[in-house]
């Protein structure tokens, strides 16, 4: 469900007419619907409500990497969500959005000493450790701070899943987590160390997952490990299940069945009496955002191909170039006429700057506005200034109100960030 719909022949974001917003802000621009963010957060909370007797109330920690704008995070924090972070910058964004430190999870395979010092000092809810050497570094940071952080060991269950090889994170050859046998030994060793407090296990096997079978298998392995550790006298009070639930990018796509997911979690983990942490990102943000763009020109080639050249490019929306990802493209003000096939491209000097090939679309011409749907996750967060193109701005819509929540830099501002070496 999302809140982008035509009204009076023009696409709206909630109650905001995009034909009026575009000239006010310029294109390309990301537009988020606060109502969709709230709806998705409430929907996820609701499917777990019937299972509170078995699971308690899970902490839903939004994956900041999916959509890190502070205003977006603030909307979700207002729904009671925490934050899953993978860098100091993401921790600081979550805090700026009003997420309490005790609802922030810190993950990632390459935490620096400075980041560990920050995380320990802030008293984050938990730090997910991904190797023996990281645990040793964390213990040193804890000793420096004189604090004892809560730690979860991230397990690599040798179960990889996801919509693309580059977003599969739980397979045997992936860089994430600790193999199961090693994870058990790591937990046992550090359970008796006074500098850290192992409280649980974590896993995250991939992204854009719509089949629950690999998730069930991974969670079952966490349950098995929990029973093993408890039988040896170790406390295991928390299981972090990661995120990765998939969404529909096109009308015929499958999306993750939320009610079935919650029921499966309750079935597999319900008897363990552990706190559950969930880390959704795409599930909450993808369909809450669009990338609004304008047609520069339509180029007709001698071989009959039509190039639809947009002012948005791969530096603004990288997913198609990086993952061969599909995003639906819809006209803001549709024209009458039969659909024709276009190669949809941007102005960046890369063949990879191609959003779609042979995409059937209605008649379009220079100046028309179009919107890439499902762009709210991993869109703006992956954007860059490649080809010295100004970083794409972001707008938050809430009912009839809208605000620029990240503005487009001027060329002067971009150049001012690069002082010339004093000897040149």
């Amino acid at each position: 469900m999302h809140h982008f719909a035509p009204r009076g022949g023009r696409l709206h974001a909630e109650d905001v007419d995009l034909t009026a917003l575009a000239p006010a802000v310029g294109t390309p621009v990301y537009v988020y619907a606060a109502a969709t963010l709230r709806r998705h957060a409430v929907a996820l909370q609701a499917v777990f409500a019937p299972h509170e007797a078995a699971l308690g109330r899970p902490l839903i920690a939004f994956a900041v990497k999916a959509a890190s704008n502070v205003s977006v995070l603030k909307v979700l924090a207002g729904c009671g969500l925490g934050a899953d972070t993978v860098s100091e910058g993401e921790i600081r964004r979550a805090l700026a959005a009003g997420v309490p430190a005790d609802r922030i999870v810190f993950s990632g395979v390459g935490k620096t000493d400075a980041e560990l010092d920050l995380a320990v000092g802030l008293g984050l809810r938990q730090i997910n450790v991904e190797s023996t050497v990281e645990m040793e570094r964390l213990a040193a940071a804890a000793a420096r701070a004189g604090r004892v952080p809560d730690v979860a060991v991230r397990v690599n269950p040798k179960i990889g899943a996801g919509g693309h090889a580059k977003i599969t994170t739980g397979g045997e050859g992936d860089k994430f987590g600790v193999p199961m046998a090693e994870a058990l030994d790591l937990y046992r060793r550090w359970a008796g160390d006074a500098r850290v407090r192992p409280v649980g296990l974590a896993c995250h096997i991939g992204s854009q997952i719509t089949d629950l079978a690999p998730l069930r298998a991974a969670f079952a392995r966490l349950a098995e490990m929990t029973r093993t550790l408890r039988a040896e006298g170790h406390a295991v009070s928390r299981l972090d299940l990661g995120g990765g639930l998939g969404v529909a990018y096109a009308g015929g796509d499958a999306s993750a069945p939320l009610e079935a997911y919650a029921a499966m979690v309750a079935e597999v983990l319900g008897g363990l009496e552990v706190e559950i942490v969930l880390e959704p990102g795409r599930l909450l943000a993808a369909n809450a955002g669009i990338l609004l763009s304008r047609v520069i020109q339509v180029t007709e080639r001698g071989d009959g191909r039509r190039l639809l050249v947009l002012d948005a490019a791969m530096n603004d929306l990288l997913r198609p170039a990086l993952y061969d990802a599909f995003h639906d493209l819809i006209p803001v003000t549709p024209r009458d006429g039969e659909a024709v096939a276009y190669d949809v491209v941007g102005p960046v000097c890369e063949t990879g700057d191609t959003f779609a090939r042979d995409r059937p679309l209605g008649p379009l011409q220079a100046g028309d506005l179009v919107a890439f749907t499902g762009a709210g996750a991993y869109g703006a967060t992956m954007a860059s200034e490649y080809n010295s193109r100004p970083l794409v701005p972001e707008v938050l819509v809430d009912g009839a109100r809208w605000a620029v929540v990240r503005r487009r830099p001027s060329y002067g501002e971009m150049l001012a960030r690069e002082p010339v070496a004093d000897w040149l």
Side-chain angles (χ1 to χ4, degrees):
M1 174 65 184
H2 60 77
H3 293 79
F4 300 94
R7 189 181 304 173
R10 300 182 301 276
L11 187 65
H12 283 60
E14 298 191 36
D15 297 325
V16 174
D17 185 343
L18 294 178
T19 65
L21 186 149
V25 182
T27 54
V29 56
Y30 279 95
V31 183
Y32 305 104
T36 307
L37 292 166
R38 294 188 184 107
R39 184 184 183 96
H40 290 171
V42 169
L44 185 56
Q45 291 166 331
V47 297
F48 277 91
H51 305 289
E52 283 191 15
L55 294 173
R57 183 172 297 180
L59 170 64
I60 300 175
F62 175 69
V64 175
K65 61 181 176 290
S68 63
N69 187 279
V70 173
S71 291
V72 169
L73 300 179
K74 198 168 186 68
V75 170
L76 294 172
C79 297
L81 270 58
D84 164 49
T85 63
V86 295
S87 70
E88 177 176 344
E90 289 189 355
I91 293 170
R92 294 190 181 278
R93 284 178 175 274
L95 292 170
V99 181
D102 64 1
R103 295 178 70 81
I104 297 176
V105 175
F106 187 28
S107 304
V109 299
K111 307 176 189 73
T112 67
D113 288 346
E115 288 175 325
L116 291 174
D117 287 338
L118 176 73
V120 171
L122 288 171
L124 300 188
R125 180 182 182 86
Q126 71 189 44
I127 300 171
N128 290 346
V129 170
E130 306 214 14
S131 66
T132 299
V133 67
E134 184 188 356
M135 186 75 88
E136 293 169 347
R137 293 172 51 240
L138 175 59
R144 288 193 294 271
R147 304 187 69 166
V148 182
D150 284 359
V151 176
V153 175
R154 178 169 175 177
V155 179
N156 183 323
K158 296 185 181 179
I159 299 171
H164 190 279
K166 293 181 180 178
I167 53 176
T168 299
T169 56
E172 186 171 5
D174 296 327
K175 68 179 181 179
F176 301 97
V178 184
M180 291 174 60
E182 184 182 336
L184 288 171
D185 288 341
L186 184 64
Y187 204 101
R188 293 173 182 126
R189 173 187 169 190
W190 290 92
D193 194 288
R195 294 169 293 174
V196 296
R197 184 184 300 112
V199 295
L201 303 169
C203 75
H204 175 73
I205 64 171
S207 188
Q208 188 56 10
I209 301 170
T210 57
D211 178 6
L212 299 185
L215 292 168
R216 174 186 285 273
F219 301 163
R221 291 185 181 179
L222 290 185
E224 176 188 349
M225 294 174 69
T226 298
R227 295 185 184 99
T228 297
L229 289 168
R230 285 178 173 175
E232 297 171 1
H234 301 296
V236 182
S237 61
R238 205 174 294 170
L239 292 180
D240 184 336
L241 307 184
L245 293 176
V247 303
Y249 281 102
D253 286 354
S255 58
L258 292 189
E259 291 184 358
Y261 173 74
M264 178 271 287
V265 172
E267 179 186 344
V268 176
L269 305 177
L272 291 177
E273 297 184 352
V274 290
E275 298 174 28
I276 299 297
V277 180
L278 308 172
E279 298 173 354
R282 184 191 317 272
L283 182 73
L284 301 181
N287 292 325
I290 62 168
L291 175 60
L292 187 61
S293 181
R294 195 177 292 276
V295 177
I296 294 176
Q297 66 187 43
V298 178
T299 303
E300 296 198 15
R301 292 281 175 82
D303 60 3
R305 301 189 73 81
R306 291 182 179 86
L307 301 182
L308 185 69
V309 185
L310 306 180
D311 63 2
M314 63 185 289
N315 70 293
D316 304 307
L317 179 61
L318 184 59
R319 294 187 70 252
L322 186 61
Y323 304 131
D324 297 318
F326 178 94
H327 286 270
D328 205 0
L329 184 67
I330 58 176
V332 171
T333 307
R335 299 176 182 275
D336 292 332
E338 293 185 4
V340 295
Y342 295 92
D343 287 352
V344 184
V345 303
V348 157
C349 290
E350 297 269 357
T351 301
D353 186 25
T354 300
F355 296 110
R357 293 192 181 276
D358 294 320
R359 179 73 63 85
L361 300 167
L364 290 163
Q365 62 185 41
D368 286 354
L369 291 169
V370 293
F372 287 101
T373 64
Y378 305 102
T381 56
M382 299 178 80
S384 73
E385 292 181 349
Y386 185 47
N387 278 196
S388 291
R389 291 167 49 83
L391 192 63
V392 62
E394 297 170 90
V395 166
L396 180 70
V397 170
D398 199 346
R401 301 175 295 180
W402 63 269
V404 176
V405 293
R406 180 175 75 180
R407 65 183 181 83
R408 193 188 321 273
S410 68
Y411 290 108
E413 289 169 331
M414 292 167 65
L415 291 171
R417 298 199 302 260
E418 302 175 21
V420 177
D422 56 10
W423 65 85
L424 296 177

